[in-house]
Amino acid sequence: MPDFWSMQITTLERQDLVTQSFKAGMTYADYRVLVGSHAQSFTSTGHTQTEALSNYTLLNDRRMKRWDKTFKLTEAEQDLISGFDRPLNWLLLTESWCGDAPPATAVMQKIAEIQPNIDFRVVLRDDHPQLMDAFLSNGAKAIPKLIIQDPQTKEVLASWGSRSSAAKKLVEDFKAEHGEITAEFRESLQVWYNKDKNQAILSELIEILRVLNLETRM
């Protein structure tokens, strides 16, 4: 079930928000070009511009280049993903400065490359405030946020984000002990992503696909 912590809107209004946002979405390739352009000009996406956000964008551009090159699926994983045949729209809310986004987007794009039934688009959080408000995580505007929709019925089927369960626990445990997230912890989280090799994210997204695919056979 989608983890909606949202403004008070109807199911049809939420579906329409997703549908309209999906139409306005970028391909992953276009998003990569956009982030690269901001990194080159030392700016960021979003309505707030700070030196810190520009620095994070520069880092993320490098991280995305690395993940795009290094993240690989095993033959078994490719066969499993190829076997899911339910058409789906994947709509991702993110921003160039989001530190959790590069590993997640790499996994999503790789899955979409293998599975032609998935149409993967990206939109910017600050440009779609109503959509973000409809898909809060525990009341927060957390990104990256993946929204999964049936392209025919427009029904919103599931959502994921902003982190895997394993990464969420690391964050929650640190906050419980220290009160707030520090720059040092953010760096250690990136080290954890590298060691995990995106397996936590991949397994959760594959499980969502498995459940949704089973629904079509019931």
Side-chain angles (χ1 to χ4, degrees):
M1 291 290 292
D3 56 341
F4 299 140
W5 294 74
S6 63
M7 58 185 180
Q8 297 301 310
I9 62 172
T10 67
T11 298
L12 288 177
E13 287 172 333
R14 182 180 287 111
Q15 290 178 6
D16 187 58
L17 273 173
V18 175
T19 300
Q20 296 307 316
S21 299
F22 188 82
K23 290 178 181 178
M26 296 174 276
T27 64
Y28 180 71
D30 286 341
Y31 176 66
R32 288 291 295 109
V33 170
L34 178 65
V35 175
S37 176
H38 279 289
Q40 188 172 21
S41 62
F42 199 64
T43 55
S44 72
T45 62
H47 297 172
T48 301
Q49 296 292 314
T50 67
E51 183 177 352
L53 294 180
S54 297
N55 271 318
Y56 285 133
T57 296
L58 189 62
L59 281 172
N60 282 349
D61 185 51
R62 295 169 183 165
R63 288 166 179 161
M64 282 191 281
K65 288 176 182 176
R66 184 178 71 249
W67 280 119
D68 287 344
K69 290 179 180 178
T70 62
F71 178 66
K72 306 293 183 183
L73 295 169
T74 66
E75 186 174 339
E77 289 164 346
Q78 291 182 49
D79 289 343
L80 181 61
I81 293 166
S82 297
F84 299 132
D85 55 7
R86 181 173 185 175
L88 297 169
N89 288 342
W90 277 18
L91 179 63
L92 181 68
L93 276 161
T94 190
E95 293 286 354
S96 66
W97 45 261
C98 176
D100 294 296
T105 54
V107 176
M108 294 170 194
Q109 173 62 16
K110 193 67 68 174
I111 290 174
E113 286 177 358
I114 293 170
Q115 180 44 262
N117 284 304
I118 295 174
D119 193 349
F120 180 39
R121 306 285 179 87
V122 182
V123 293
L124 301 177
R125 183 190 71 173
D126 288 2
D127 290 345
H128 296 80
Q130 287 182 305
L131 181 67
M132 184 73 261
D133 285 342
F135 291 90
L136 302 178
S137 299
N138 296 329
K141 298 181 179 181
I143 52 175
K145 188 73 169 187
L146 178 66
I147 304 161
I148 301 175
Q149 182 187 46
D150 186 297
Q152 279 81 44
T153 67
K154 307 306 179 185
E155 178 186 359
V156 177
L157 303 169
S159 64
W160 178 93
S162 60
R163 301 180 177 101
S164 67
S165 296
K168 285 177 184 176
K169 189 176 188 308
L170 291 174
V171 173
E172 290 167 357
D173 288 350
F174 187 89
K175 289 176 73 174
E177 182 176 354
H178 301 280
E180 63 180 14
I181 299 302
T182 63
E184 290 76 15
F185 175 78
R186 290 191 180 94
E187 286 300 317
S188 69
L189 187 59
Q190 293 298 323
V191 172
W192 181 86
Y193 280 131
N194 293 337
K195 289 181 178 179
D196 179 65
K197 298 181 179 179
N198 281 350
Q199 290 306 299
I201 297 170
L202 177 63
S203 64
E204 291 185 3
L205 292 179
I206 285 178
E207 177 61 14
I208 290 173
L209 288 175
R210 186 190 69 81
V211 171
L212 294 178
N213 211 58
L214 279 175
E215 288 178 359
T216 64
R217 289 162 165 69
M218 294 176 64

